[in-house]
Amino acid sequence: MEKGAVFPLFYLPNVEFFKNLQSLKGTEILIEHQEHYPKQTYRNRAVIAGPNGKLELSVPVKKGDIKRTPYKDLRICNDDNWQRIHWLSLCTSYRSSAYFEFYEDAFAPFYHQKFDFLFDYNLQLLEILLKSLKLKIDYALTIEYHPKYNDKQDFRSSLDFRKTTGYENKKYHQVFEDRNPYLNNISILDLLFTQGPQASKFF
């Protein structure tokens, strides 16, 4: 039996993230809470399928010595109206999807209420996503940082947008597939808004 795994905490994670969570259900799952913030990762960005193809959403963070800032202490930069931009992007991309209106009320608060810390924001989003996907996953936050785990699978660096894992989710209908190529393994929201309660069958 698997001894568990340690996961990074992403913004609107991709399908592979949830496939791995689902496959390790019942084992000890840890969410990394003590790491220093690594730049240029999915921790503050996500990819969705927009009207013109691949669209990247990025949550701005406070400038400074990011390399020395613990992820849990990293503040969101709310100087620009990024939430409005993200919400408009989601509405434009998925308003015509089969299940957008069904889940709209669950996600709208994340784009209309101010949040201070990126980690807290992403963790609350993760809870809503797990609930929406009907995935009952028990997890705990790490209490200290370990650069390496010998007894657990470590996804902290492997689930990186700069790397290709070779994972392919089962194909499903995407909103703009009549004009754009199919986009594999993008944000789980794309799958959720188009497939609703059946989303987990496409992991």
Side-chain angles (χ1 to χ4, degrees):
M1 186 177 184
E2 294 285 355
K3 294 183 179 180
V6 56
F7 284 81
L9 182 62
F10 292 155
Y11 172 55
L12 302 176
N14 60 17
V15 180
E16 185 178 8
F17 180 93
F18 289 95
K19 176 261 183 185
N20 288 323
L21 274 179
Q22 184 185 53
S23 68
L24 289 159
K25 181 179 179 179
T27 69
E28 182 183 26
I29 294 176
L30 299 176
I31 300 292
E32 180 59 73
H33 185 235
Q34 302 298 324
E35 67 180 354
H36 281 78
Y37 180 72
K39 295 192 295 183
Q40 297 185 329
T41 70
Y42 282 127
R43 286 162 181 80
N44 73 321
R45 66 186 70 194
V47 174
I48 63 173
N52 298 313
K54 185 177 179 180
L55 177 61
E56 185 175 293
L57 304 177
S58 180
V59 179
V61 296
K62 292 282 189 181
K63 304 299 181 184
D65 194 358
I66 293 178
K67 286 185 178 181
R68 296 179 181 273
T69 302
Y71 179 10
K72 61 185 175 65
D73 295 332
L74 189 68
R75 290 181 177 272
I76 295 173
C77 181
N78 289 309
D79 295 342
D80 296 323
N81 204 355
W82 68 271
Q83 288 173 294
R84 181 176 181 274
I85 295 171
H86 284 211
W87 186 243
L88 286 175
S89 297
L90 291 173
C91 290
T92 300
S93 300
Y94 300 111
R95 176 65 69 187
S96 63
S97 66
Y99 293 95
F100 180 83
E101 290 186 359
F102 183 80
Y103 297 108
E104 182 177 3
D105 289 345
F107 290 98
F110 290 93
Y111 300 95
H112 295 91
Q113 300 172 12
K114 296 298 182 185
F115 291 80
D116 292 324
F117 295 96
L118 180 63
F119 188 94
D120 296 342
Y121 180 69
N122 286 345
L123 190 63
Q124 290 181 52
L125 265 175
L126 177 64
E127 283 292 318
I128 295 297
L129 286 166
L130 290 173
K131 182 178 179 180
S132 300
L133 292 163
K134 299 187 184 304
L135 294 180
K136 296 182 179 180
I137 305 292
D138 293 323
Y139 64 84
L141 303 181
T142 59
I143 57 175
E144 58 183 351
Y145 179 75
H146 295 284
K148 184 178 179 181
Y149 283 86
N150 295 318
D151 60 340
K152 291 179 176 59
Q153 291 189 59
D154 190 345
F155 294 104
R156 291 175 297 178
S157 60
S158 62
L159 294 175
D160 191 323
F161 76 95
R162 292 168 296 183
K163 300 176 182 178
T164 300
T165 64
Y167 170 75
E168 293 188 9
N169 56 259
K170 296 177 185 177
K171 285 192 175 182
Y172 57 91
H173 169 74
Q174 293 182 327
V175 177
F176 300 103
E177 67 178 16
D178 60 327
R179 67 176 84 166
N180 300 317
Y182 178 79
L183 293 174
N184 175 67
N185 195 27
I186 56 176
S187 171
I188 193 68
L189 281 188
D190 187 79
L191 179 53
L192 183 65
F193 289 156
T194 57
Q195 301 301 318
Q198 304 299 315
S200 62
K201 294 183 178 180
F202 293 85
F203 291 177

